Amino acid sequence: MAGRIEDYALIGDMQTAALVCRDGTVDWLCLPRFDSHAIFAGLLGTEEHGFWRLGPAHAADAEPPTAARRGYRGDSLILESEWDTPRGTVRVTDFMPPRDGAPQLIRIVEGVTGRVPMRSALRMRFSYGRVVPWVHKHEGRTVAVAGPDSVWFDTEAETYGKSLTTYADFTVAPGDRIAFTISWEPSHKRPPALPEPEQSLEATESFWRDWVEQCTYHGPYREAVIRSLITLKALTYAPTGGIVAAPTTSLPEDIGGVRNWDYRYTWLRDAAITLSSLLRTGYREEARAWREWLLRAVAGDPENLQIMYGIAGERELGEAELDWLPGYEDSAPVRVGNGAAHQLQLDVYGEVTEALHLAHMTGLARNDYASLLQLKLIRYLEDHWQEPDEGIWEVRGPRRHFVHSKVMAWVAVDRTIKLIESGDADGPLERWRELRDDIHRDVCEKGYDKERNTFTQSYGSQELDASLLLIPQMGFLPPDDKRVIGTIEAIQRELSTSDGFILRYPTEGQSEGVDGLPGDEGAFLACSFWMADDLAMIGRVDEARKLFEKLLALRNDLGLLAEEWDPRLQRQVGNFPQAFSHVPLIDTALRLTASGAYGG
């Protein structure tokens, strides 16, 4: 059985990523890309669906021992796990070197004290655990082949096969270092080069050290900010600049339920807010690469902006269910692809325009096509902003006039007006100023409940929605406006969990709610960070800091966050790690630092 979501560590090479459990098991790895088929899918099934365990040997009928200590080596994505056993202490170092050739996962075993018996158990299953590959020796190397894929396994340790699994049993003493590497290559090509684990380790550590040194944030929450930035960098697909929302699929928002989605794609919304955080902390190259990815992805058809694309800009992300996988803790179905790709979500136009505006304001070199794209997006919104849509949360129920979508349409027009006023673009300024006023008036008249003094989820509804917390952050209304304060306080009353975290919107248990799905979900971590931001903006800075530090305490021991927190089960839920959680963590840290609202 897979571990709890927070039991996992992330390692990656900025093209794909692996999840490593506390017991030394890699339960998730897709090769060669984030969105490729998994060769280890035990996370969503059983050991029969693929895993790689490396740790102290244990009895066959006993649970694998968990590491006594683990952590990343400095500010890097190099994981170090240590086990204390009756026979001594051993360390395993796991990492994926930024690649210039075949993707590799390298694991180095090091003896610390005593003599510790160890075991590597490698069970590769291609196509998300469905296909057993042909495993054989080729010129002294072990290779697994099935269809278009081959995975090469290299180690100095003696290996043997048993029960369709490749094992290595060995003992390490102080100073011993034994490396294990898997490398992926298309099966029709020549074998990948022999790995050089020690050189790769040195190069990987140097890469992360140099990258982190670019960070311009040096405030009191630097440790949390740096770890979140490293996580966001790890979720960036280096060849194109696309940013995945998470490296996993179908980790449930509701344990045992159906709210299981594939997040291994580039949501324009998530990527745009990620770009914002990177720019604000000094990472201009990532911002430039994402802008270039955006321009390629929407080229030729910018009016029909999709809410998400593949990491190379692919448009077709057809959704399917993998019925041979039982799902994480029996949370079925397991889905790949995402049927929400072709939803209408008007807020995306605002997020993209806001990201392009921030890039422009922070001095990113001008790109004429980016300005042209921005103008085309507004021309589309002129004709469509009054339509209902599926909204930020991708509801699978009927379309509605979501207030957040209208607010973000206003943001898109407002930022484009600013671009024209700066002299860097030409457009019908007066007409679009009138459009901006029309949208603003429409929201304030139809999306505001005067009796309760709060904005609502959609026109004519009584429900609240945590996305309304973005109204002051986007500049739609000032923080001291009574309608803003009333909305913040209403969300605190009606969407807070017992421990003070924020739900996205009301759900209806086993009945279908506004999102068209049965079941409930946990507190949405991004919304809880937004609440901390808003509290700081309206002067309740001590309350904001306390909420922020409660949120920091939800991170696992490695500083990682999933999408949600389940207040009933007191555990993380949803895909992991989640960009949409780490981005607002950074933003709130920056806001609280600027306000001086931190302890010590």
Side-chain angles (χ1 to χ4, degrees), residues 33 35 237 239-243 265-266 293 296-297 309-315:
R33 303 188 345 171
D35 56 353
Y237 184 63
T240 66
I243 302 167
Y265 306 110
T266 298
W293 173 90
R296 292 192 302 271
Y309 297 82
I311 51 180
E314 298 90 346
R315 287 178 171 263

Side-chain angles (χ1 to χ4, degrees), residues 230-536:
I230 289 171
T231 303
L232 296 178
K233 178 66 171 175
L235 300 182
T236 302
Y237 184 63
T240 66
I243 302 167
V244 295
T248 55
T249 179
S250 299
L251 289 180
E253 299 166 11
D254 182 20
I255 299 292
V258 300
R259 296 170 180 265
N260 318 314
W261 314 108
D262 192 347
Y263 276 18
R264 298 170 299 154
Y265 306 110
T266 298
W267 268 253
L268 293 189
R269 176 187 306 108
D270 296 41
I273 65 169
T274 300
L275 168 67
S276 169
S277 291
L278 290 168
L279 276 170
R280 294 168 67 194
T281 49
Y283 290 98
R284 295 162 62 86
E285 177 55 32
E286 285 74 14
R288 184 204 60 77
W290 179 81
R291 186 177 68 181
E292 296 303 314
W293 173 90
L294 172 69
L295 299 179
R296 292 192 302 271
V298 305
D301 197 16
E303 292 84 1
N304 293 323
L305 200 67
Q306 293 189 185
I307 66 163
M308 73 181 88
Y309 297 82
I311 51 180
E314 298 90 346
R315 287 178 171 263
E316 298 304 320
L317 308 176
E319 187 172 296
E321 296 181 2
L322 308 184
D323 57 10
W324 62 90
L325 287 172
Y328 178 86
E329 296 190 17
D330 294 321
S331 303
V334 171
R335 295 181 173 95
V336 294
N338 201 303
H342 296 289
Q343 285 188 350
L344 175 64
Q345 296 178 22
L346 293 171
D347 67 291
V348 170
Y349 292 81
E351 274 107 15
V352 169
T353 304
E354 170 73 350
L356 293 174
H357 172 72
L358 183 61
H360 179 261
M361 294 298 293
T362 53
L364 204 64
R366 176 175 172 174
N367 183 300
D368 289 337
Y369 183 57
S371 298
L372 179 61
L373 169 63
Q374 202 167 328
L375 297 174
K376 286 190 173 186
L377 296 182
I378 303 310
R379 292 191 177 99
Y380 175 86
L381 279 178
E382 275 192 288
D383 296 329
H384 297 278
W385 73 269
Q386 292 175 303
E387 297 177 8
D389 70 341
E390 276 90 2
I392 182 175
W393 307 126
E394 298 169 8
V395 301
R396 301 204 174 197
R399 288 182 176 180
R400 300 188 178 198
H401 291 281
F402 286 103
V403 170
H404 173 261
S405 295
K406 309 298 187 189
V407 168
M408 293 309 296
W410 177 91
V411 169
V413 179
D414 178 73
R415 303 315 190 253
T416 305
I417 288 170
K418 287 178 168 60
L419 179 71
I420 297 168
E421 289 173 341
S422 72
D424 287 327
D426 293 317
L429 199 53
E430 289 307 316
R431 191 174 89 213
W432 285 351
R433 284 173 177 159
E434 290 181 11
L435 174 63
R436 179 176 62 182
D437 291 344
D438 288 344
I439 299 173
H440 199 281
R441 187 182 311 108
D442 196 67
V443 170
C444 292
E445 290 177 357
K446 299 177 182 177
Y448 174 68
D449 184 337
K450 292 181 181 179
E451 291 186 7
R452 295 160 66 207
N453 187 29
T454 181
F455 286 95
T456 59
Q457 183 180 59
S458 60
Y459 289 1
S461 73
Q462 293 295 308
E463 293 95 352
L464 296 180
D465 191 307
S467 63
L468 301 169
L469 294 169
L470 294 174
I471 286 174
Q473 296 178 37
M474 291 295 107
F476 183 83
L477 286 172
D480 60 358
D481 189 291
K482 71 176 185 67
R483 294 166 292 183
V484 169
I485 296 171
T487 301
I488 295 169
E489 293 176 345
I491 289 172
Q492 276 191 308
R493 286 193 308 271
E494 299 184 31
L495 292 182
S496 284
T497 64
S498 58
D499 40 15
F501 303 123
I502 305 299
L503 302 170
R504 290 191 290 183
Y505 47 79
T507 51
E508 303 296 333
Q510 294 309 306
S511 300
E512 287 191 2
V514 64
D515 57 13
L517 295 167
D520 291 311
E521 62 176 21
F524 202 79
L525 294 175
C527 300
S528 302
F529 284 113
W530 294 344
M531 176 60 77
D533 265 319
D534 277 19
L535 291 172

Side-chain angles (χ1 to χ4, degrees), residues 165 210 387 426 554:
T165 304
D210 293 345
E387 297 177 8
D426 293 317
L554 299 183

